[in-house]
Amino acid sequence: MSDLVRYEVKDRVAVITVDNPPVNALAPAVWALIDQAVARGVADANADAMVLIGAGTTFIAGADIKVFDTLKTRDDSMARSAGTHALLRRLEDAAKPLVSAIHGNALGGGLEVAQACHFRIATKDAKVGQPEVMLGIIPGAGGTQRLLRLCGVKMALEMCTDGKPVSAAKALAAGIIDQIVDGDLLAGAIAFAKTKTQAHEIRKTRDLPIKPEDVSGGVAACEAMRAALAKTARGASAPFAAVNAIQAALTLPFDAGSVRERELFAECVVSSESQALRHMFFAERDVAKVPDIPKDTPTREIKRAAVVGAGTMGGGIAMTYANAGIPVLLKEIDDAALQRGLATIRKNYEVTMSKGKMTAEQFEKTMALITPTTSYGGFDQVDIVVEAVFENMDLKKATFAELGKVTRPDCVLASNSSTLDVDEFARASGRPSKVLGHHFFSPANVMKLLEIVRGRETAKDVIATSLKLSKKLNKVGVVVGNCFGFVANRMLAYYMREAYLLLEEGASVPQIDQVLTDFGLPVGPYGMQDIAGIDVGARIRQYLTSIGKTRAEGPQSAIPDRVFELGRYGQKTGAGWYKYDAPGSRNRTPDPLIDRMAEEEAAKRGIKRRPIADEEILARIMTALANEGARVLEEGYATRAGDIDVIYCYGFGFPRHRGGPMFYAETVGLATVLARVKEYRARFGDYWEPAPLLERLVAGNKSSFEG
Ligand code: 3HC
Ligand code: NAI
């Protein structure tokens, strides 16, 4: 038997060990070898029962996700699933008791294999789940048919629609597993199997009756779940397919229900939703791989941190460290500023507590990790400093010069600047190899993205340490180059410019926002600015003008500055692109004043306003993003197109089921994207300039940014 699946007999129990590191994914060969091993166990006169277990840190984490890319049509999927379903039926029909022994994770196909075994036991820290919806699919190896026979419809619906794994304790209480093993899992599994050596003790999950309460109330539970998903699963279709498959289990015999599951799975696996979500699965893991930074680059453990500046960002960053259990010094210029910052932090935690997401005890413990200070005392003890003072080059340079003196030579010095040149701070610090950008997104304690900005001299171990730290901080760290706006904000400038120009040309603020929210973004460009503060962008423009630059070349609408000059900074002032009931309110109404401004600015620029179709709004905004993304990629400021997608999904809530702006461009077709750039150039002017990479890829007949 191959090394992927090992077979041995211990104490008259056949032990079948899946050994496909790192997560024992079910590659086609693994499925086949499990099948063969079980057949061997049944035929083996020296074995009375069988145990299926995983080698390494986990049981089986699911089907090999890469294999789904080979399923190009519904028929491909139907053919493959016919084989998988038959295989699991053979396991279930094995004439000797078969016990799965779970540690780590039994996920997706892993849990489905376990469901086809006659018994399931697990370690107490094991987890089981059906996370397929996160990949835009549904359990496709009988999970929607067998799971509810073990745990009932309500829990099966929850597990298959939210995709979250459940603990061994919960799985035991629900009947998904039969026993929790203390101590050595294999020894426990063998002991358990030896109590089930008689053929009559075989329990086939597919033969278990649907629970009486589900016979009467199961379909209603499915209806209720559909109604709930209509509100929570915006834009996603897989959770609804999972409900349909579970309903089929309630209303059809097992075999017919299984066919329905296979059909629904097949529709999902070829959908653009699933392709996008699978792309995101791997893109998220790829961001940790930086080509010239080997995996074994030494990293330093960050045990203590300091944050300079307790404003909007500094406070959120200090919370992020404290939430991760890392003690953090929080420095301000004076006590008044410090108290303001601390009050905001306290208020944020109080909101978390009021939602039941934090206990009073956790609050006290977390707050105790934040040490307020107005001096640099104690900075010689920290492993990292994050600077979050005002966005001002002279101030930042002075701060880094000071930090270079008050911290240990090996301390990492990170700046949260969103626009300024990291290399200048690096020089000011006197030890540039330890300096880089840690660009958090607002609110820093909530948003998952961390752009790790690599300066010219940043040492490799500092980048590797930052990547490792980002995981500990519960962030997704993406390494980017040091260009203006880095990746997220550089591309955003093109997104916003197009939104402004569309407004001048005849679209309205609510229309543009609606198009983007219908596409799946949580908020449109104008709504987003009203939340972030119109003054923030205006000050960046002022700074750029002062140094003779613009964020995105080409025509700039004057409307944003006019809105700023009126003191309309967004929600905080009660008016911005929309009118609000009161400062701080989220209750908004469109403001005719903005339309009048758009008319005036259009007249000044000689533009005849016209009705603009929603399709054009979406196409222009997405084309602007993809074209600039292609430039970012070609200039090397992002490592992969997938990195840009991760940045957009985590930084701006770009819908995951669209796969990020670069993947979305690939689904539209790179040739179409290029044709649109050229069309817009002809219609709107030379500011639309095709990215050379895009032109080359299309000329080479390539369909992906990775060539
Ligand atoms: N298929 C292929 N590769 C997988 C995989 C899978 N199911 N699960 C993980 N991997 C790969 C990752 O891409 C990564 O590769 P890399 O090192 O080259 O980047 C490596 O395994 C390690 O993964 P993580 O970095 O995610 O490791 P963690 O320890 O952080 O997490 C995990 C482990 C919780 C198991 C996590 O990997 C995970 O959630 N995996 C996916 C689980 C899943 O979605 N299963 C369902 C698959 S679909 C299915 O089973 C359909 C069925 O119904 C037929
Ligand atoms: P802010 O104005 O809310 O806070 C800055 C704080 O720094 C103030 O409380 C000020 O008193 C303090 N400060 C100034 N000099 C100091 C010093 N020498 N020592 C200690 N504290 C000092 O500013 P905000 O919005 O928090 O921005 C901070 C940085 O984060 C800027 O570089 C900004 O570009 C960046 N950023 C801002 C984002 C946002 O949405 N606000 C998003 C991402 C980055």
Side-chain angles (χ1 to χ4, degrees):
M1 193 140 290
S2 133
D3 287 349
L4 286 175
V5 176
R6 294 194 301 272
Y7 180 94
E8 62 192 318
V9 177
K10 284 190 176 175
D11 202 8
R12 295 201 59 79
V13 174
V15 177
I16 300 165
T17 308
V18 179
D19 191 1
N20 185 22
V23 297
N24 296 325
L26 292 161
V30 176
W31 283 108
L33 289 164
I34 293 174
D35 192 21
Q36 287 169 26
V38 170
R40 181 170 165 187
V42 171
D44 192 339
N46 294 318
D48 303 322
M50 296 173 281
V51 165
L52 177 68
I53 194 165
T57 55
T58 189
F59 185 66
I60 299 169
D64 183 341
I65 299 165
K66 290 205 172 82
V67 170
F68 298 140
D69 288 346
T70 64
L71 306 176
K72 301 287 182 211
T73 66
R74 218 179 143 275
D75 287 350
D76 290 346
S77 175
M78 288 304 280
R80 180 175 288 278
S81 65
T84 317
H85 276 244
L87 189 157
L88 289 179
R89 190 177 255 275
R90 282 195 293 280
L91 299 195
E92 206 168 29
D93 286 340
K96 287 178 186 168
L98 173 59
V99 180
S100 52
I102 300 168
H103 71 302
N105 293 289
L107 299 177
L111 182 55
E112 290 170 302
V113 167
Q115 287 161 21
C117 294
H118 306 133
F119 304 98
R120 288 151 294 281
I121 65 169
T123 57
K124 61 176 183 306
D125 53 0
K127 288 192 176 144
V128 305
Q130 300 285 175
E132 286 87 346
V133 280
M134 315 259 204
L135 300 165
I137 53 175
I138 64 168
T144 63
Q145 309 299 298
R146 286 192 180 89
L147 185 59
L148 84 167
R149 288 174 157 85
L150 294 170
C151 67
V153 159
K154 190 170 168 289
M155 189 163 169
L157 280 170
E158 278 166 15
M159 286 176 68
C160 294
T161 56
D162 72 14
K164 292 191 188 127
V166 300
S167 66
K170 199 167 171 194
L172 178 70
I176 299 172
I177 60 171
D178 302 292
Q179 196 179 88
I180 289 183
V181 176
D182 256 339
D184 184 68
L185 177 63
L186 180 59
I190 292 174
F192 182 93
K194 286 181 79 66
T195 67
K196 308 274 179 200
T197 51
Q198 304 301 315
H200 68 263
E201 289 184 278
I202 284 172
R203 191 186 58 190
K204 298 182 188 181
T205 310
R206 71 169 190 265
D207 290 343
L208 295 178
I210 303 281
K211 294 182 190 300
E213 63 273 25
D214 292 340
V215 172
S216 52
V219 172
C222 291
E223 287 301 343
M225 182 53 88
R226 283 190 193 96
L229 289 172
K231 294 187 196 126
T232 55
R234 229 162 43 97
S237 61
F240 293 94
V243 178
N244 293 347
I246 287 173
Q247 185 159 334
L250 291 168
T251 52
L252 299 172
F254 182 84
D255 288 346
S258 297
V259 172
R260 187 71 194 119
E261 177 191 276
R262 290 172 48 216
E263 288 167 352
L264 288 160
F265 178 90
E267 281 164 25
C268 289
V269 80
V270 296
S271 68
S272 55
E273 170 181 329
S274 177
Q275 285 167 27
L277 289 170
R278 275 147 40 203
H279 160 74
M280 286 306 297
F281 177 87
F282 289 111
E284 268 169 42
R285 282 154 181 87
D286 284 347
V287 292
K289 298 167 194 157
V290 183
D292 67 333
I293 300 185
K295 225 176 159 184
D296 56 1
T297 304
T299 56
R300 169 195 175 102
E301 207 193 325
I302 302 293
K303 295 195 193 118
R304 286 167 193 283
V307 174
V308 185
T312 313
M313 294 305 288
I317 296 167
M319 288 173 78
T320 303
Y321 275 91
N323 293 345
I326 301 174
V328 56
L329 293 171
L330 181 57
K331 181 191 176 287
E332 257 295 346
I333 31 176
D334 57 31
D335 202 50
L338 200 49
Q339 292 313 324
R340 267 199 309 277
L342 286 171
T344 308
I345 293 177
R346 243 182 244 115
K347 205 176 89 204
N348 286 338
Y349 280 134
E350 274 158 16
V351 173
T352 313
M353 281 197 289
S354 71
K355 290 181 184 159
K357 292 182 181 166
M358 190 180 216
T359 63
E361 197 189 329
Q362 284 166 331
F363 166 69
E364 294 300 338
K365 235 171 126 180
T366 314
M367 279 305 288
L369 289 170
I370 303 176
T371 307
T373 176
T374 50
S375 80
Y376 283 115
F379 272 56
D380 57 344
Q381 301 294 312
V382 302
D383 306 300
I384 187 167
V385 180
V386 186
E387 166 279 308
V389 304
F390 301 125
E391 188 77 337
N392 175 299
M393 183 53 98
D394 291 339
L395 173 63
K396 298 231 185 217
K397 279 192 348 199
T399 306
F400 271 85
E402 190 75 28
L403 289 173
K405 292 185 204 130
V406 298
T407 57
R408 284 194 322 260
D410 61 344
C411 176
V412 175
L413 301 178
S415 171
N416 183 50
S417 170
S418 42
T419 50
L420 302 175
D421 182 356
V422 171
D423 289 329
E424 290 209 35
F425 317 146
R427 276 192 292 277
S429 76
R431 49 179 140 97
S433 68
K434 301 291 179 222
V435 176
L436 80 176
H438 276 189
H439 184 213
F440 289 83
F441 286 69
S442 182
N445 53 313
V446 177
M447 296 302 287
K448 294 262 295 185
L449 178 64
L450 176 65
E451 278 187 316
I452 298 170
V453 187
R454 190 173 185 167
R456 196 175 297 137
E457 293 181 57
T458 313
K460 290 182 183 181
D461 66 302
V462 172
I463 304 280
T465 297
S466 300
L467 280 165
K468 195 168 142 203
L469 173 67
S470 59
K471 277 198 178 164
K472 189 155 183 205
L473 296 180
N474 196 21
K475 302 286 173 200
V476 179
V478 186
V479 178
V480 298
N482 180 26
C483 58
F484 186 81
F486 316 127
V487 172
N489 286 336
R490 170 171 163 175
M491 287 173 63
L492 188 73
Y494 289 78
Y495 170 92
M496 287 310 305
R497 182 185 62 188
E498 216 46 36
Y500 297 145
L501 294 178
L502 282 159
L503 173 62
E504 281 192 3
E505 288 168 35
S508 72
V509 161
Q511 184 195 9
I512 296 168
D513 275 357
Q514 185 73 45
V515 168
L516 273 303
T517 52
D518 285 350
F519 180 74
L521 279 132
V523 59
Y526 292 102
M528 180 179 74
Q529 284 223 324
D530 274 0
I531 295 169
I534 287 170
D535 49 327
V536 176
R539 291 193 209 286
I540 293 174
R541 281 192 299 279
Q542 285 170 350
Y543 165 73
L544 282 174
T545 310
S546 76
I547 58 167
K549 282 192 184 167
T550 52
R551 285 190 88 165
E553 301 78 40
Q556 307 293 328
S557 169
I559 307 176
D561 283 335
R562 286 185 62 183
V563 174
F564 167 70
E565 280 151 20
L566 290 174
R568 298 174 63 119
Y569 295 170
Q571 284 184 8
K572 60 186 170 192
T573 59
W577 292 107
Y578 294 90
K579 275 192 293 203
Y580 294 84
D581 289 354
S585 160
R586 293 178 187 178
N587 233 346
R588 70 188 194 190
T589 41
D591 194 337
L593 177 81
I594 303 289
D595 299 311
R596 281 202 300 280
M597 277 189 195
E599 279 159 22
E600 286 162 17
E601 290 306 318
K604 276 190 213 157
R605 294 213 297 123
I607 294 168
K608 192 169 173 319
R609 294 187 92 222
R610 63 188 165 97
I612 301 185
D614 291 352
E615 294 72 26
E616 179 178 336
I617 292 174
L618 186 66
R620 278 176 59 184
I621 287 185
M622 289 299 144
T623 306
L625 267 184
N627 194 44
E628 187 58 17
R631 263 198 212 101
V632 165
L633 200 56
E634 177 155 41
E635 292 166 14
Y637 292 108
T639 308
R640 286 161 287 252
D643 287 18
I644 298 177
D645 290 333
V646 171
I647 287 172
Y648 261 75
C649 289
Y650 283 108
F652 300 117
F654 196 97
R656 285 173 68 83
H657 66 274
R658 308 276 189 186
M662 307 309 276
F663 184 85
Y664 178 71
E666 290 173 0
T667 57
V668 167
L670 297 188
T672 305
V673 173
L674 178 63
R676 283 180 181 162
V677 177
K678 289 181 175 165
E679 177 205 328
Y680 300 153
R681 188 185 174 99
R683 281 172 64 194
F684 308 114
D686 288 350
Y687 76 91
W688 278 100
E689 198 186 337
L693 173 66
L694 187 58
E695 290 195 298
R696 266 202 322 281
L697 290 170
V698 173
N701 227 357
K702 303 279 197 252
S703 56
S704 143
F705 280 105
E706 301 306 342

